[in-house]
């Protein structure tokens, strides 16, 4: 989420009311375990406090993140928003644009022919329609890194075959169901599956600076709180390009 | 398998009858795809010819590997056996001894209290009994690399929790059933699962040289062909320390 600082605690000397800030999906961690000491708060041994739907360690109950008029966040988990980033568009940032900015050749895999042009417009070098058996066969062993941002438990087998030798399938979304994997799809070609969620504070800072430097922002639709229900209905139908951002300033 | 060269083809100038050689579990590959050109024949795009139970591309039928009196093998897939290695003990080589020789701290995980002393004798620094909940809890996030040599589809969850942040679970045996993985066990701590089987020719050569240099051999029981049935019965009961080697020289 992004917002504006309203007040700071007495020990905060590098942030002032009125400044634009961002908060990721972690607002707390133990800060003492080896993961936290390395800035890998997302891997905190006792599990980090999630911004949304987490267990609030101070007040009890459930954290509500940006669905609030105000939020109290530890300075450490608050990011100064680079001036060149639009606060709405900085909230959800997109893999295709990053991969391009990092110098990769980017191939988008999608089930939907309708998304082909959109993926190319975002900067993809190529698009593979995953229901096109010939296109999938042609892509055999062509991809070094597959980023799965779907958040659903897709059948991994066809995608593992698209990976090159030593290739990595990175699970970025978190499917609610278990994954089922044929061991041979990993053993043949020595492929790997890795999971990753939010980053720790240092890489999140880097990500925001990188976004500002490369002008990477997301295509968003900004909705006011009183249209949230309609937006959630559209989200369930996949009818959004590409993220809704809720503007809570009217509340 | 290991054996003695009986004859060589006219183009072979670096191997003579009488020399001791070893053959791994790959005896052929396309030799043209990018994996083969990098010496990663185990990842051959058209799948390598397996020494045992493979499809014989020259004669048809099934390859029988060491269960034969003679075998014709391409020079490339034939390894000169280092003189200091006992031919029987060089056939099955063991992970614990390698890990030790490579300088790792080695912890053996086993279901069986009876295997504790054997694992320590092989060189393990520590042994964790996997049915001991306290021992597994104490091992939380303590292991950087877990080598799964079981070949069965174990429940990965307890082992993924034992992995440290960025840790790798390497599937070395190949379970016949699919693996089921909770995505959160990968995402929390950014862990990975990688598959690997036999190596290509260059790393197999390195492995044999490394074994000779470090005196790494397996503890084996050598059986003659006419006791193979009894040996397979004992293998099915897990009654072998640690591998049977069939001595075919009597045939």
């Amino acid at each position: 989420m992004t917002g504006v600082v309203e007040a700071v605690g007495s020990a905060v000397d590098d942030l002032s009311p009125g400044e634009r800030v961002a908060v990721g999906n972690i607002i707390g961690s133990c800060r003492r375990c080896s993961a936290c000491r390395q800035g890998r708060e997302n891997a905190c041994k006792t599990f980090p406090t999630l911004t949304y739907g987490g267990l609030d360690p101070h007040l009890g109950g459930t954290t509500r993140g940006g669905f609030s008029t105000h939020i109290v966040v530890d300075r450490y988990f608050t990011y100064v928003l680079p001036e060149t980033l639009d606060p709405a568009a900085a909230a959800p940032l997109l893999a295709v644009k990053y991969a391009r900015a990092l110098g990769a050749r980017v191939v988008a895999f999608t089930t939907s022919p309708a998304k082909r042009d959109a993926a190319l417009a975002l900067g993809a070098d190529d698009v593979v329609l995953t229901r096109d058996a010939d296109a999938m066969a042609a892509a055999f062993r062509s991809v070094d890194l597959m980023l799965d941002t779907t958040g659903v438990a897709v059948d991994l087998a066809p995608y593992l075959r698209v990976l090159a030798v030593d290739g990595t399938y990175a699970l970025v979304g978190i499917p609610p169901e278990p994954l089922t994997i044929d061991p041979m799809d990993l053993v043949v070609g020595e492929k790997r599956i890795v999971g990753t969620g939010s980053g720790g504070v240092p890489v999140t800072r880097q990500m925001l600076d990188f976004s500002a430097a490369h002008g990477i922002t997301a295509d968003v639709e900004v909705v006011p709180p009183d249209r949230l229900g309609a937006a959630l209905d559209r989200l369930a139908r996949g009818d959004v390009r590409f993220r809704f951002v809720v503007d809570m300033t009217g509340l």
Side-chain angles (χ1 to χ4, degrees), chain A:
Chain A
M1 80 186 87
T2 59
V4 175
V5 175
E6 202 143 288
V8 297
S10 58
V12 174
D13 56 11
D14 61 350
L15 207 59
S16 309
E19 282 192 76
R20 301 189 322 162
V21 289
V23 172
N25 79 329
I26 293 176
I27 51 172
S29 71
C30 83
R31 309 289 302 278
R32 285 185 301 270
C33 72
S34 62
C36 283
R37 285 199 310 267
Q38 293 167 57
R40 303 283 297 270
E41 297 84 6
N42 49 318
C44 172
K45 202 160 180 169
T46 54
F47 204 75
T49 301
L50 299 179
T51 309
Y52 297 86
L55 187 68
D56 187 325
H58 303 292
L59 302 175
T62 299
T63 60
R64 294 176 192 181
F67 297 109
S68 332
T69 55
H70 293 76
I71 184 171
V72 179
V73 183
D74 190 301
R75 170 66 187 92
Y76 183 70
F77 291 96
T78 307
Y79 307 97
V80 176
L81 200 56
E83 293 206 357
T84 54
L85 284 182
D86 170 48
L93 296 161
L94 293 165
V96 169
K97 293 183 178 181
Y98 280 107
R100 281 274 300 197
L102 288 164
R105 181 167 186 277
V106 182
V107 180
F109 288 75
T110 177
T111 55
S112 159
K115 284 189 183 156
R116 180 198 289 270
D117 290 346
L120 294 171
L122 281 175
D125 295 286
D126 202 357
V127 177
V128 173
L129 297 177
T130 55
R131 286 171 184 154
D132 177 343
D134 291 342
M136 286 297 278
F140 180 70
R141 289 203 180 174
S142 65
V143 166
D144 296 307
L145 173 66
M146 175 82 70
L147 285 179
D148 175 355
T149 61
T150 63
V152 297
V154 298
D155 177 10
L156 299 192
Y159 300 102
L160 292 175
R161 284 166 206 152
V162 160
L163 281 183
V165 174
D166 293 330
T168 297
Y169 187 98
L171 197 66
V172 182
I174 304 174
E177 300 97 41
L179 303 172
T180 303
I181 296 156
D182 180 343
M184 285 302 280
D185 285 330
L186 294 179
V187 167
V188 177
E190 301 184 269
K191 298 166 184 182
R192 60 208 69 208
I193 299 175
V194 61
T196 183
S198 42
V201 168
V203 296
T204 303
R205 280 193 202 121
Q206 279 176 35
M207 181 273 293
L208 286 167
D209 291 344
F210 186 89
S211 304
H214 290 82
I216 297 176
T217 56
D219 297 302
V220 300
E221 268 188 65
V222 179
V223 297
D226 60 4
R227 297 214 26 228
L228 192 51
L232 286 172
D233 289 343
R234 283 182 52 202
L235 191 62
R237 294 197 301 270
D239 175 23
V240 54
R241 283 202 178 164
F242 286 90
R243 299 292 172 90
F244 285 117
V245 170
V246 185
D247 179 359
M248 305 292 284
T249 54
L251 277 194

